[in-house]
Amino acid sequence: MTHPTAVATATVAELLWQAVADGDEHTASAMVHEALDTGVREETLLLEVLAPVQERVGLEWAADRITVAQEHAATAINERIIASLAHRRERAPGRASRGRVTVGCVDGEWHAFPARLVAEVLALHGWQVDFLGAQTPTPHLVAHLHRTNPDAVLLSGSIPTHLPTAHGAITACQAVGVPVLTGGRAFGPDGRYARMLRADRWAADAQGALAVLAEGMPRPDASASRHAVDDLPHLADQEYTMVVQSRHRLVGQTLAGMEERFPALRAYSDVQRERTAEDIAHIVNFLAAALYVDDADLFTTFLTWTADILHARHVPTRSLDLALDILTGQLRDFPRAKHAIRQGRDVLERRPDHPVPGPRS
């Protein structure tokens, strides 16, 4: 038997999706606040209404059913609704804080929505939260820790290409004696990359973060300095470093090679060429991230997602395989890179053509 609250939240979520998809912020906000007034808990609205609606925004963009502008507008509406709920919240007089935490995103990470959800849930459970928002530069994060001395840092990342930066942030926070709790898709579905980068803990969601904090997080030894290669010995082969340092050359030569072998590309407009170069840059960046954590699956997952995006936009995926073939020629002296590319091409070859999954509007 379906629980009445589940029915109510599913209905609110569907109505909220329709409102944000139409860009109707007034209606979207009104229905969420009306649900709160009728007894739906704020935490339920955050995790069972706003979170799934935001996830649907991403899916609809990926399936090419909404534009980038619509995706940005919908995200902005959802963010303002969360802020309105927080401003409405009354702090109980004399309520003791369970502790102080800092919540922020890895430098370069613009997807702040998941971190904001976690920050608000923690606040609801009595934590004093310093929410630093998107792309927090590591030096500024560390300066904030020196000033506030929180019980923990909650570091969020959605894009795996930011894992090297996340590694530096984790190490820097631990070097000043503050433990790091990581979360977000960038760290892998089971937190495998969080463990690899020596984060103190990982949580899959807001409820998981609450549980970890409730257990308590011991402070790391600030005197135990370490370098990236100490955590990731495979970096000693310099493949990651060389790929990153030659990124612009790799992108330029791959684009030139595609023009030579795929004549239709020569007729592209300047905008189309720019977009193609951006796509190649993404391939190189994800390859570099896979080299950093020594996991070819990170690269193949990205390629599969990219192929789905191209298919939804009626772009031939053979261009993706061509780019990988040209990259392989440039990286013939890089065994780990060649292995990742070969595995990616094998996955693409076995991949059936199908549209991006997700609900239709």
Side-chain angles (χ1 to χ4, degrees), residues 111-127:
H111 297 81
F113 195 89
R116 181 63 186 270
L117 283 177
V118 172
E120 297 304 331
V121 171
L122 294 181
L124 283 170
H125 284 262
W127 289 89

Side-chain angles (χ1 to χ4, degrees), residues 102-105 132 136-146 153 155 169 173:
T102 297
V103 178
C105 296
L132 305 187
T136 307
T138 299
H140 296 283
L141 172 60
V142 171
H144 179 78
L145 301 185
H146 279 298
V153 170
L155 193 63
C173 293

Side-chain angles (χ1 to χ4, degrees), residues 145-146 149-153 170-180 200 217-223:
L145 301 185
H146 279 298
N149 190 32
D151 296 286
V153 170
I170 291 167
T171 304
C173 293
Q174 292 168 337
V176 297
V178 180
V180 181
D200 295 279
M217 294 183 66
R219 290 189 176 271
D221 181 3
S223 64

